[in-house]
Amino acid sequence: MVRERKIIVSVATSADGFIARRDGSFDWLNRPRPKDNYGMDAFYGSIDTILWGRKTCDMALDFQRKAPPGRASIHELRTYVFTHNPPQVAAPAGVEFVNEPIKTFASRLREKEGKDVWIMGGAGIIASFLDAGRSTNS
């Protein structure tokens, strides 16, 4: 029997509860990391799939292009991007653009064998999963 995968919302926030600065930047996350990387290394080991909204996708792919050599790649994980406007260019390897009802998608994803699933962001896709009752956190 396949273990039902968890669909997890997990975001970094500042002490005052914000994910990004007013200008949309998240440079406050660029800081020295302790040995356990705030638990992120263990967390990455527990997931094999990421869910993004389109804006988060664009930001994450740009961030990945600028990352120093040797940094872990998000392309090692299966990535689904929810968007009403898929780009006209081909998606990078491992990235699939989807536009289907959250409940249908979540049910299908949970039936597949694999590790847990991370809803990385943004706020719109997180809210959609929470509203549909499809996040393990809800």
Side-chain angles (χ1 to χ4, degrees):
M1 179 176 185
V2 176
R3 177 187 73 87
E4 185 175 272
R5 303 165 79 183
K6 294 179 188 174
I7 299 178
I8 303 165
V9 174
S10 179
V11 294
T13 60
S14 61
D16 55 357
F18 291 94
I19 296 171
R21 297 188 189 280
R22 289 186 192 273
D23 67 359
S25 71
F26 53 93
D27 58 342
W28 62 271
L29 287 172
N30 295 331
R31 47 184 286 128
R33 303 224 182 338
K35 187 175 182 177
D36 72 346
N37 193 19
Y38 301 103
M40 287 305 294
D41 295 338
F43 179 71
Y44 282 129
S46 73
I47 62 169
D48 64 2
T49 305
I50 293 180
L51 307 181
W52 287 334
R54 176 64 190 275
K55 291 178 197 171
T56 301
C57 173
D58 292 344
M59 178 273 313
L61 292 176
D62 184 56
F63 186 74
Q64 188 69 42
R65 280 190 288 275
K66 295 174 183 175
R71 177 171 266 180
S73 172
I74 47 106
H75 301 299
E76 296 167 5
L77 303 171
R78 183 78 183 131
T79 304
Y80 295 95
V81 179
F82 286 81
T83 181
H84 296 290
N85 302 302
Q88 299 301 313
V89 298
V95 176
E96 181 181 336
F97 291 94
V98 295
N99 183 6
E100 69 179 282
I102 298 291
K103 287 183 179 185
T104 305
F105 175 84
S107 294
R108 184 170 49 84
L109 187 60
R110 281 193 168 135
E111 290 173 0
K112 291 182 180 181
E113 190 172 333
K115 295 180 180 181
D116 291 334
V117 178
W118 179 24
I119 307 175
M120 184 179 177
I125 193 64
I126 291 171
S128 294
F129 269 81
L130 291 173
D131 290 347
R134 291 304 185 241
S135 163
T136 305
N137 304 71
S138 58

